[in-house]
Amino acid sequence: MLPLLAATSAAAREIRVMMLGDSITAGYGLARGQGLPARLEAALRERGRQVRMIDAGVSGDTTAGGRARLDWALADRPDAVIVALGGNDGLRGIEPRASAANLTAILDALRARNLPVMLAGMLAPPNLGAEYGREFAATFTALAQARPEVVFYPFLLEGVAGDPAMNQPDRIHPNETGVAELVRRMLPSVESLLVRVPNG
């Protein structure tokens, strides 16, 4: 009886997943409960996953901002972390080497805490030029290649970016339809992250 009870308890354990991001994570322009973390949590629970998503999104945040507030955000004691930063770096034309240094520091800090990580990549806006765009995108790819333990989702806004039907009038932030599409596409990667959580 005791082993069975222990197994049941472990299976029922709630996994806390923090999403460290910017306005996309924070649900800019959306009603409460319609942002990406909340919708991911609902979808995972529909699949029988006992997951609590922690929304650590701050509108306007860059990789530098995420790096600066990481220790504070980790006070919520997540079991795993999704790093979804970089969009504002691209919009501001920040040097990709600076973004890479910030993301490296974030990933190193999470590894030091033995936290499973999913890294969501980002693309730069086309008006900054092809060379900048290639270098910016390569930042995320290189980080993922150097860290095989990290679950890599190449582009956070895959299937949504540039589609007027999926975005709010600013053409930057997903609307409810866009968030639903992000969730649909991200779920397999997020579930890959969950299986890396001890006793998850």
Side-chain angles (χ1 to χ4, degrees), residues 63 89 95-107 139-140 143:
T63 56
D89 293 49
E95 172 61 48
R97 284 177 294 181
S99 301
N102 292 323
L103 290 168
T104 295
I106 291 170
L107 295 176
T139 294
F140 297 91
L143 286 169

Side-chain angles (χ1 to χ4, degrees), residues 10-26:
R13 185 176 81 87
E14 185 177 77
I15 298 174
R16 296 164 62 83
V17 180
M18 183 176 80
M19 192 165 189
L20 182 72
D22 48 34
S23 55
I24 305 299
T25 298

Side-chain angles (χ1 to χ4, degrees), residues 30-187:
L30 297 171
R32 184 176 179 83
Q34 294 303 312
L36 182 54
R39 297 285 292 276
L40 268 174
E41 178 182 306
L44 289 164
R45 287 182 176 269
E46 285 178 5
R47 291 182 174 222
R49 300 276 191 176
Q50 296 302 308
V51 174
R52 174 67 53 85
M53 293 294 301
I54 302 169
D55 182 350
V58 172
S59 293
D61 222 357
T62 60
T63 56
R67 177 182 181 179
R69 64 185 174 86
L70 180 62
D71 286 343
W72 170 78
L74 288 173
D76 282 328
R77 302 178 65 83
D79 298 299
V81 178
I82 299 172
V83 179
L85 291 162
N88 289 306
D89 293 49
L91 288 172
R92 298 179 188 185
I94 291 173
E95 172 61 48
R97 284 177 294 181
S99 301
N102 292 323
L103 290 168
T104 295
I106 291 170
L107 295 176
D108 286 348
L110 297 175
R111 181 165 56 186
R113 291 168 171 80
N114 295 314
L115 289 171
V117 175
M118 173 176 154
L119 174 65
M122 184 53 65
L123 300 179
N127 64 297
L128 294 174
E131 183 177 352
Y132 179 87
R134 284 191 297 269
E135 189 177 353
F136 186 83
T139 294
F140 297 91
T141 304
L143 286 169
Q145 290 175 342
R147 292 169 169 76
E149 76 278 5
V150 170
V151 176
F152 184 44
Y153 187 74
F155 182 33
L156 177 65
L157 298 176
E158 183 69 37
V160 172
D163 186 343
M166 297 279 187
N167 288 280
Q168 298 176 44
D170 62 13
R171 300 290 183 95
I172 294 175
H173 298 94
N175 57 25
E176 289 188 17
T177 302
V179 172
E181 181 64 11
L182 294 184
V183 169
R184 186 185 74 80
R185 290 173 178 263
M186 291 176 67
L187 269 176

Side-chain angles (χ1 to χ4, degrees), residues 49 116 118 151 186-197:
R49 300 276 191 176
M118 173 176 154
V151 176
M186 291 176 67
L187 269 176
S189 295
V190 176
E191 290 192 312
S192 293
L193 174 67
L194 295 178
V195 301
R196 302 181 185 213
V197 176

